[in-house]
């Protein structure tokens, strides 16, 4: 299990960071993901990859955390500091705009796009996670990209 943690913890944390927008929550849920994986290792049958299995656990833990969270309780945020404060703010603002568009997508488009783009899962792994075909994963990812592109181009045209 230690080898699995060393190999996949970064990917799981990146996935959870993209889902939650909070590195603190992602770190906490990453630890919980591996704890749950240890508890249920006997149920891992190898029909999907370890990374797919771990992302599935992480996704369910994130959903549970969102359900338990009080509506008025904000998620913790990273506050930029240091010499490049302004640069970080600009990058963060641009990232927030992109994330707003991403979060406006309906499921499964948002999650497939996140898994493929930010977690670097291939279409076979995504298909396993959703219990769908690889072509379903490819089409869903393509459509998600198209929806994001159209939304961002529409916003750019509105500002001009």
């Amino acid at each position: 299990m230690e080898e699995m943690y060393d190999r996949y913890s970064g990917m799981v944390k990146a996935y959870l960071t993209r889902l939650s927008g909070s590195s603190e929550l992602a770190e906490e849920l990453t630890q919980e993901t591996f704890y749950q994986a240890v508890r249920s290792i006997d149920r891992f049958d190898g029909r999907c990859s370890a990374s797919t299995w771990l992302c599935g656990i992480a996704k369910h833990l994130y959903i549970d955390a969102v359900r338990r969270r009080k509506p008025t309780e904000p998620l913790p945020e990273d506050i930029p500091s240091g010499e490049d404060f302004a640069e970080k703010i600009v990058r963060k603002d641009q990232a927030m705009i992109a994330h707003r568009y991403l979060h406006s997508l309906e499921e499964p488009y948002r999650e497939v796009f996140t898994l493929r783009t930010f977690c670097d899962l291939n279409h076979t792994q995504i298909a396993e996670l959703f219990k769908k075909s690889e072509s379903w994963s490819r089409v869903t990812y393509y459509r998600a990209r198209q929806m994001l592109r159209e939304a961002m181009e529409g916003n750019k045209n509105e500002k001009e």
Side-chain angles (χ1 to χ4, degrees):
M1 201 58 178
E2 186 176 328
E3 183 181 319
M4 187 180 277
Y5 181 84
D6 291 341
R7 185 170 181 184
Y8 297 112
S9 63
M11 182 208 54
V12 170
K13 184 178 180 196
Y15 172 60
L16 288 165
T17 300
R18 294 298 177 194
L19 279 179
S20 69
S22 166
S23 61
E24 289 176 12
L25 180 60
E27 181 65 38
E28 180 183 323
L29 292 176
T30 298
Q31 299 304 317
E32 182 66 19
T33 296
F34 283 91
Y35 172 73
Q36 293 297 327
V38 168
R39 290 185 56 201
S40 61
I41 192 72
D42 57 322
R43 290 191 304 239
F44 178 61
D45 57 12
R47 284 189 288 177
C48 64
S49 67
S51 60
T52 301
W53 180 62
L54 290 167
C55 281
I57 294 170
K59 173 186 166 186
H60 291 292
L61 289 171
Y62 171 69
I63 291 168
D64 289 345
V66 169
R67 286 181 184 148
R68 283 191 311 265
R69 190 174 59 109
K70 295 176 188 168
T72 58
E73 181 184 320
L75 292 174
E77 280 189 43
D78 291 334
I79 308 291
S81 61
E83 292 178 19
D84 56 348
F85 180 79
E87 185 179 315
K88 286 182 180 181
I89 292 294
V90 168
R91 268 190 270 134
K92 190 168 186 170
D93 285 347
Q94 290 170 345
M96 285 302 295
I97 290 167
H99 280 290
R100 280 191 191 110
Y101 288 119
L102 179 60
H103 286 286
S104 72
L105 290 181
E106 293 179 14
E107 293 298 348
Y109 301 105
R110 176 179 44 226
E111 188 168 359
V112 169
F113 186 86
T114 299
L115 290 168
R116 180 76 182 114
T117 304
F118 301 116
C119 298
D120 207 24
L121 293 184
N122 62 41
H123 289 291
T124 303
Q125 293 168 317
I126 294 169
E128 289 173 359
L129 189 60
F130 282 91
K131 295 178 176 52
K132 302 276 188 179
S133 69
E134 186 176 330
S135 60
W136 174 88
S137 173
R138 290 180 186 283
V139 168
T140 304
Y141 175 71
Y142 174 79
R143 288 178 181 164
R145 278 187 20 205
Q146 289 299 107
M147 286 185 251
L148 283 171
R149 183 176 291 130
E150 289 170 8
M152 292 178 83
E153 286 174 358
N155 187 45
K156 189 183 345 175
N157 293 336
E158 288 174 13
K159 288 184 179 180
E160 292 174 355

